[in-house]
Amino acid sequence: MQAKLSTMFQSLQVRNYRLFASGQLIKLIGVWMMFIAQDWLVLELSDNSATALGVVTALQFTPVLLLTLLSGRLADRYDKRMLLFVANAFWTVLALAMSLLVITGLVQLWHVFAFAALLGVANAVETPVRQAFVSELVGTSLLPNALSLNAAVFNSARIVGPAVAGLAIAVLDVGPVFLFTALSSIAPLVTVIQMRPAELHREALPPRDERASAKVVDGLRYVWRRPDLLLPMAMMSVIGMSLFNFQLTLAALAKTVFQTGAASFGLFSTALAVGALVGALAGTGRRSRPSVWLVLGAGVGCASFGTLVGLAPAYWMVVTLLLPTGFFMVFFAQAANQRVQLGTDAAFRGRVMALWVLVFLGTNPVGAPLIGWVAETYGAGASIWIGGLISLATVLIALTWQLRHSGARLRFRILPMPRFYVTSTDC
């Protein structure tokens, strides 16, 4: 058991990665608390408008759509460690300003919109740089483990943050939650400063003059010529847009369908995150690039359980179904991420991971307002199960394409039913 745990957390033996992971955990707990507080504040300021929630989500991710590819170019040209420091410092200043507005009672809906957009700018710079930086922290041999632990850190925060935020909002209101977010975002600044640059794995990078000429279009051409990278990205773009909107849909589901309070909404997010954490830890033992069949299978599980969440008629059923949904959501996203990153040359990693972030997060500005409109018009449940069916259709199309492209065939074998015989003996 001890050997298993040692293998599962092997990347934490690397000092620079240990600092990185601890700083991210502290920050992300505050970020997830802020997401819950922000959504609750929007509902209060907009008279429970799901459309307003969709607009906030769209504004939060629009900069990702516009700026991420340029950020990937920066990641391939400049010191990723210093880029992370600048982006996190910008995030801290914004969070402090927003917390003051909320605590003083001066906040208005347009403030939340502006805050979401500016945080999106910081996120558009930080996320692709952070994704590409992991390989420099641990090297290629530990990269699958480190990526899985990143997902575990993210989802650990996703468990703790919403649960604490729901209780904090009920007891203290949303202001202190925003303030905690601002203070927690200082942690990555401290840990980045404490890292040892000499211990970073930068030997696979091209010379500085070659990095200086890195172009966005070269990264796009690189991915276009690689069907093994293009397929998981195409799947993620559709699934991310249609199904990965739980920040929006679960808030609407909790408040408009089941008429619950902030604490119960936090339970939805926590259940999703518990499953996601298990899904992340399930991938920590992986030592090689995931196969395309693993990615496709995880996509089927993610889409199927996501559809069932939208169709569930009872509160307890939603909570129960969110556990496997969270598991397959992260297991799929992480397998797809690892397949992309482990199949990419170091010289293109920043630009390729920027494109990954674009299809993973940048589709939200398109999907979020539409999902919000569906939730407000047809109900929050419909916005989830429709997204699930679209995702399932996408995975099945991708499976069909892969079968034709590879020449493989699916074979179903019906196993014989066991036969039972009754024998008797004379007494």
Side-chain angles (χ1 to χ4, degrees):
M1 181 66 178
Q2 185 176 359
K4 178 69 174 177
L5 289 176
S6 177
T7 301
M8 182 179 292
F9 299 104
Q10 190 173 0
S11 295
L12 293 177
Q13 298 173 11
V14 180
R15 180 182 181 275
N16 281 344
Y17 180 78
R18 191 165 59 247
L19 287 168
F20 172 81
S22 60
Q24 286 297 310
L25 178 61
I26 295 170
K27 174 190 173 182
L28 287 171
I29 289 174
V31 169
W32 277 105
M33 290 179 67
M34 184 270 293
F35 281 154
I36 300 298
Q38 176 184 269
D39 290 350
W40 210 252
L41 181 63
V42 168
L43 290 172
E44 288 182 347
L45 295 175
S46 66
D47 195 22
N48 295 334
S49 172
T51 301
L53 272 182
V55 171
V56 167
T57 304
L59 288 171
Q60 192 168 299
F61 291 105
T62 295
V64 177
L65 182 64
L66 299 177
L67 302 175
T68 294
L69 293 180
L70 294 176
S71 300
R73 184 187 180 194
L74 292 176
D76 281 336
R77 294 184 66 175
Y78 301 108
D79 189 331
K80 298 178 183 64
R81 177 168 162 263
M82 294 311 300
L83 288 174
L84 283 176
F85 182 87
V86 172
N88 280 294
F90 183 54
W91 179 289
T92 301
V93 172
L94 290 173
L96 282 170
M98 186 63 186
S99 65
L100 290 176
L101 284 174
V102 178
I103 289 173
T104 57
L106 298 176
V107 67
Q108 298 179 33
L109 187 58
W110 73 267
H111 291 144
V112 185
F113 290 163
F115 173 68
L118 290 173
L119 279 185
V121 173
N123 199 35
V125 174
E126 192 261 358
T127 304
V129 174
R130 171 167 44 84
Q131 289 273 347
F133 188 50
V134 177
S135 63
E136 294 187 14
L137 291 169
V138 298
T140 304
S141 61
L142 287 177
L143 186 56
N145 178 259
L147 292 175
S148 295
L149 287 180
N150 278 0
V153 166
F154 179 84
N155 288 289
S156 296
R158 200 174 183 178
I159 293 171
V160 176
V164 174
L167 295 174
I169 292 171
V171 176
L172 303 173
D173 208 359
V174 294
V177 176
F178 277 96
L179 182 59
F180 180 83
T181 296
L183 297 176
S184 67
S185 64
I186 298 174
L189 301 177
V190 176
T191 56
V192 164
I193 292 173
Q194 291 179 326
M195 289 180 186
R196 296 170 182 165
E199 296 178 7
L200 295 175
H201 296 258
R202 290 174 168 170
E203 62 278 0
L205 294 176
R208 184 179 295 273
D209 57 340
E210 292 185 24
R211 283 186 278 155
S213 62
K215 297 179 181 179
V216 172
V217 67
D218 292 334
L220 297 176
R221 289 171 180 164
Y222 177 82
V223 173
W224 183 254
R225 293 192 297 264
R226 296 281 305 274
D228 61 321
L229 304 181
L230 196 58
L231 183 66
M233 286 192 176
M235 290 172 58
M236 181 54 71
S237 66
V238 178
I239 295 175
M241 180 171 60
S242 59
L243 185 60
F244 282 19
N245 289 285
F246 285 112
Q247 177 189 344
L248 185 164
T249 54
L250 290 183
L253 192 69
K255 195 157 189 177
T256 64
V257 175
F258 296 108
Q259 286 81 45
T260 62
S264 297
F265 168 40
L267 182 59
F268 276 175
S269 297
T270 300
L272 186 73
V274 168
L277 177 59
V278 176
L281 292 175
T284 55
R286 193 174 294 134
R287 289 294 176 268
S288 59
R289 191 183 185 205
S291 71
V292 66
W293 309 112
L294 179 68
V295 175
L296 289 165
V300 170
C302 172
S304 300
F305 280 104
T307 302
L308 292 176
V309 168
L311 296 172
Y315 177 87
W316 67 269
M317 290 181 66
V318 173
V319 174
T320 303
L321 286 167
L322 283 172
L323 292 169
T325 301
F327 175 90
F328 281 106
M329 221 173 77
V330 167
F331 195 80
F332 162 69
Q334 200 58 31
N337 184 323
Q338 291 173 358
R339 182 160 178 80
V340 169
Q341 189 155 180
L342 288 169
T344 302
D345 295 330
F348 290 91
R349 187 165 286 129
R351 283 164 287 176
V352 171
M353 294 317 298
L355 185 57
W356 168 261
V357 172
L358 178 63
V359 301
F360 187 54
L361 299 176
T363 52
N364 276 274
V366 179
L370 181 59
I371 293 294
W373 176 82
V374 172
E376 195 162 321
T377 306
Y378 300 103
S383 69
I384 298 175
W385 65 256
I386 290 173
L389 290 179
I390 292 173
S391 299
L392 185 59
T394 299
V395 177
L396 294 178
I397 292 171
L399 175 61
T400 302
W401 182 90
Q402 181 62 33
L403 288 171
R404 291 182 177 178
H405 180 75
S406 63
R409 294 182 179 180
L410 287 179
R411 293 183 178 180
F412 298 94
R413 185 174 62 179
I414 300 177
L415 297 177
M417 292 293 292
R419 297 180 180 179
F420 298 93
Y421 298 92
V422 179
T423 60
S424 63
T425 57
D426 295 331
C427 296

